Amino acid sequence: METTSSTPSSVTPPWDVFPQKTLDSIDIAVLVLYFVFVLAVGLWSMWKTQRSTVKGYFLAGGQMVWWPVGASLFASNVGSGHFIGLAGSGAASGIAATAYEWNGMFCVLVLAWLFLPIYIAAGVTTMPEYLQKRFGGKRIQMFLAILYLFIYIFTKISVDMYAGALFIQQALHWDLYIAVVCLLAITAVYTVAGGLAAVIYTDALQTLIMLIGAVTLMVFSFVEVGGLEGLQTKYFDAIPSTRKENSSCGLPREDAFHIFRDPVNSDLPWPGVLVGMTIPSLWYWCTDQVIVQRSLAAKNLSHAKGGSLMTSYLKILPLFMMVMPGMISRILFPDLVACADAEICRKICGNPSGCSDIAYPKLVIELLPVGLRGLMMSVMIAALMSSLTSIFNSASTIFTMDLWKHFRPRCSEWELMIVGRVFVLLLTVVSILWIPLVQAGQGGQLFIYIQSISSYLQPPVAMVFILGCFWKRANEKGAFWGLVIGLLLGVIRLVLDFIYPEPQCGETDLRPGVVKYMHYLYFSMVLAAISTLTVLVVSMLTEPPSEEMISRLTWFTRGDLPVKKDLAVSPSPDAAKGVCEAERPALQIDISIASENSSNDNKLMFSDRL
């Protein structure tokens, strides 16, 4: 994304959004102290935990108590994309984007109370591995492993990079590439060196810093605007001075303070918010590797539930920490944040679609005093790093356990550790190469862009997981065809969205009806229904799954005793594919590695008191 730092003489307001304000020496000292602190915590956690085993590296040894798990869940979820994106959505359209956060409050509890007992009984490290055990065969596992890596690299990493880069480039005038390469280097060092334990402990530290910094800025913002009453009255007057007359361009939405909006004509229709939003949200919180991996690292189910409850409480905060400050930024800088003319927007932030995404960086630079500015910079870097470390660690887990082990089934544990670390480095390189494409991307509303992509790709996967966990009759053929048909429809809609982008304000809408009239949240509902129907019909028309594919793998069978032959026979390289070789009795709480010397030694077993 290009920025213009020169001020056009023809325009009266100063369009250089961020005058040449760079960090003072105190701010730089705060930043340096922060990085030293983070590296110290990362190194301490490396020595504290076992890293030489697959369990130690990928699941933090299964020894985490509830509070680092809860903090890590929150930090993994709230990246710099959230700060930039939610504040931008608040500035552009009001508080409705909060619905995504409050939806997550419910879904993270569903994970701990309904899904985790099944995953623990099944003894899995990755989500595609669960589906492989539940349905058998390899095609679903491979299909999903590749899809997950695709979603991580091209949506999560790219969005966080764009957001972090926007902040650093516009607020500090550092060279974008130097800043991002330094960030990625530090991030990759402790992800590669320390595994999940380093990630979880540094996440706990960064959650604390994020909360302190964001709450401080929130207080400054509300003081500036005169509290909540000031926000409610002044928001509707935050209109840019240059806009097209006789049009709604640049005007605040009348329903800005409503979360539930008109079901037909609004930007977030309420039936879509209640149902269509919940489906991708269930995928994210209950079946996404990044989130589930943190919960599986907990000592036992009680600690995992405690972590989920803590995250659920923390999810109340984004409305006050991000969305409302974004709205305040529009009140304070209406000509910049709420620009309504494509040419002027291009001059301000290089994006003709609108500049609402600069709302948060603008507040940081203008409102915060010296020292606090450095702290807030640390918060944005913390948000970017915690998201990236989470994605790097989880993507390397999926690559090693699902793809590498498929091609080299007899590889040693040492080889898996090396491959996991090398893959993190590879992801780092891909991320740096991806930056120019992110810069060129049109993030008119970054948060909404990422949610629409989620609504096209995630519902089929969510429905296959839900049916696999809660319907014993679901089989491999049903799940596979449900995924294929659902994802095919999702990709078609995704491509149509890219071919026919939303017209800018004041332009006529020439998009085809399916794109124009079918909101992405409604599409999510239709997609989920089609995928569910496909799984149901194909499963009923084909043979039922065998006993091994149901025992300890669904909600109703999670308490089954392990099959006797698994207890009697000693594990060997030829043990049944994908099934844990040496299950322990169900009454024992234990998270350990099955027979470290066998070729299948890297499958994890979790038995839990249920």
Side-chain angles (χ1 to χ4, degrees):
M1 192 169 138
E2 294 170 25
T3 54
T4 45
S5 54
S6 57
T7 307
S9 52
S10 56
V11 188
T12 35
W15 294 126
D16 187 7
V17 198
F18 302 106
Q20 295 292 327
K21 258 189 187 176
T22 47
L23 290 184
D24 293 22
S25 50
I26 299 171
D27 293 323
I28 291 167
V30 170
L31 258 177
V32 171
L33 274 173
Y34 165 74
F35 273 111
V36 169
F37 199 31
V38 165
L39 280 174
V41 169
L43 292 168
W44 168 75
S45 62
M46 276 164 55
W47 268 277
K48 189 175 180 294
T49 53
Q50 228 186 338
R51 295 174 298 122
S52 55
T53 62
V54 168
K55 180 191 68 163
Y57 185 78
F58 290 129
L59 284 181
Q63 291 303 309
M64 287 291 162
V65 291
W66 64 273
W67 61 268
V69 172
S72 181
L73 283 173
F74 183 70
S76 304
N77 170 235
V78 178
S80 49
H82 258 69
F83 276 94
I84 302 267
L86 273 176
S89 289
S93 67
I95 66 169
T98 312
Y100 287 101
E101 299 305 295
W102 290 359
N103 205 296
M105 287 169 64
F106 155 75
C107 293
V108 72
L109 298 179
V110 172
L111 164 70
W113 267 263
L114 293 182
F115 283 85
L116 267 189
I118 303 170
Y119 297 151
I120 290 173
V124 290
T125 325
T126 72
M127 294 298 93
E129 184 192 348
Y130 167 78
L131 287 187
Q132 197 273 329
K133 281 187 168 192
R134 172 67 180 83
F135 295 119
K138 272 285 178 187
R139 55 185 185 171
I140 290 182
Q141 189 180 6
M142 302 294 289
F143 190 63
L144 270 197
I146 292 164
L147 177 74
Y148 273 35
L149 290 175
F150 179 85
I151 288 175
Y152 288 160
I153 292 167
F154 298 117
T155 63
K156 292 187 178 183
I157 293 182
S158 63
V159 165
D160 271 346
M161 289 292 213
Y162 165 80
L166 184 81
F167 198 98
I168 293 167
Q169 183 193 35
Q170 298 215 339
L172 293 177
H173 301 277
W174 287 0
D175 180 74
L176 180 75
Y177 288 91
I178 292 173
V180 172
V181 169
C182 290
L183 273 181
L184 282 171
I186 294 170
T187 305
V189 163
Y190 72 74
T191 310
V192 168
L196 188 64
V199 170
I200 286 185
Y201 279 114
T202 46
D203 274 355
L205 166 71
Q206 287 168 345
T207 303
L208 184 68
I209 293 172
M210 244 194 269
L211 291 174
I212 293 168
V215 167
T216 310
L217 182 58
M218 177 186 81
V219 171
F220 271 92
S221 308
F222 275 110
V223 167
E224 189 74 24
V225 86
L228 196 57
E229 281 116 15
L231 170 63
Q232 284 175 305
T233 51
K234 292 176 187 172
Y235 181 77
F236 295 103
D237 300 326
I239 302 166
S241 54
T242 310
R243 66 181 201 89
K244 292 172 186 159
E245 291 301 320
N246 306 322
S247 79
S248 60
C249 299
L251 293 177
R253 290 185 66 93
E254 288 176 17
D255 55 7
F257 286 90
H258 294 269
I259 286 182
F260 294 117
R261 298 183 172 179
D262 186 275
V264 181
N265 300 318
S266 68
D267 56 340
L268 282 175
W270 68 261
V273 166
L274 290 178
V275 183
M277 192 182 279
T278 308
I279 298 159
S281 197
L282 281 172
W283 173 86
Y284 180 78
W285 287 103
C286 302
T287 74
D288 182 14
Q289 183 67 20
V290 173
I291 299 297
V292 176
Q293 192 175 354
R294 267 135 201 76
S295 300
L296 288 179
K299 253 183 187 171
N300 54 37
L301 196 56
S302 300
H303 279 281
K305 287 179 175 177
S308 282
L309 271 172
M310 176 181 167
T311 308
S312 192
Y313 278 117
L314 288 173
K315 292 291 279 179
I316 297 169
L317 297 175
L319 169 63
F320 305 101
M321 282 189 339
M322 301 170 205
V323 179
M324 286 184 171
M327 298 170 78
I328 291 170
S329 185
R330 178 182 178 131
I331 294 170
L332 300 177
F333 320 106
D335 281 339
L336 304 176
V337 175
C339 69
D341 183 278
E343 276 311 304
I344 291 175
C345 288
R346 191 179 277 110
K347 286 171 187 165
I348 293 172
C349 65
N351 189 348
S353 309
C355 290
S356 57
D357 283 340
I358 67 168
Y360 206 80
K362 186 72 183 148
L363 277 182
V364 173
I365 299 299
E366 295 293 333
L367 290 192
L368 290 183
V370 174
L372 277 177
R373 210 181 302 147
L375 176 74
M376 207 55 215
M377 200 60 221
S378 308
V379 170
M380 294 309 296
I381 293 170
L384 176 68
M385 282 175 62
S386 65
S387 291
L388 288 179
T389 47
S390 302
I391 294 160
F392 284 163
N393 189 274
S394 298
S396 72
T397 308
I398 284 184
F399 182 78
T400 37
M401 302 307 249
D402 291 322
L403 296 177
W404 192 263
K405 280 200 76 176
H406 175 68
F407 296 115
R408 289 182 54 79
R410 293 174 182 275
C411 59
S412 65
E413 184 157 317
W414 178 83
E415 183 183 326
L416 285 181
M417 309 305 304
I418 298 296
V419 168
R421 287 168 160 94
V422 169
F423 187 69
V424 170
L425 296 175
L426 190 69
L427 271 183
T428 311
V429 174
V430 171
S431 308
I432 293 170
L433 294 175
W434 187 250
I435 294 170
L437 297 170
V438 180
Q439 276 184 289
Q442 291 299 311
Q445 266 196 68
L446 184 69
F447 196 71
I448 300 303
Y449 153 80
I450 192 69
Q451 298 305 341
S452 60
I453 288 189
S454 304
S455 300
Y456 305 148
L457 297 179
Q458 294 163 6
V461 188
M463 298 322 293
V464 164
F465 267 99
I466 290 167
L467 289 166
C469 288
F470 299 99
W471 188 45
K472 291 195 281 189
R473 186 64 179 75
N475 64 14
E476 196 269 349
K477 289 186 177 69
F480 180 74
W481 287 109
L483 275 177
V484 168
I485 290 172
L487 284 167
L488 197 65
L489 291 172
V491 168
I492 290 170
R493 171 69 198 251
L494 187 63
V495 170
L496 282 174
D497 259 21
F498 280 116
I499 296 172
Y500 301 104
E502 201 174 330
Q504 288 171 19
C505 184
E507 291 181 1
T508 46
D509 195 340
L510 301 171
R511 295 175 298 169
V514 69
V515 180
K516 186 171 164 182
Y517 298 116
M518 191 171 221
H519 193 276
Y520 61 86
L521 291 177
Y522 287 148
F523 187 80
S524 162
M525 291 157 71
V526 171
L527 202 52
I530 292 171
S531 301
T532 307
L533 209 59
T534 308
V535 177
L536 291 174
V537 171
V538 177
S539 292
M540 293 308 286
L541 293 176
T542 50
E543 70 284 348
S546 61
E547 191 56 40
E548 303 91 75
M549 290 177 184
I550 298 173
S551 177
R552 297 175 69 78
L553 291 165
T554 71
W555 174 257
F556 307 101
T557 58
R558 69 192 191 284
D560 289 6
L561 283 170
V563 184
K564 282 184 181 172
K565 67 174 182 183
D566 286 342
L567 291 170
V569 179
S570 63
S572 71
D574 304 315
K577 279 183 190 173
V579 180
C580 281
E581 301 93 29
E583 291 278 15
R584 292 213 177 24
L587 296 174
Q588 170 188 357
I589 294 179
D590 183 22
I591 302 183
S592 63
I593 296 207
S595 80
E596 299 219 348
N597 300 323
S598 73
S599 70
N600 261 352
D601 60 349
N602 305 306
K603 294 290 180 192
L604 293 176
M605 298 182 316
F606 301 70
S607 330
D608 198 282
R609 188 186 293 116
L610 296 162

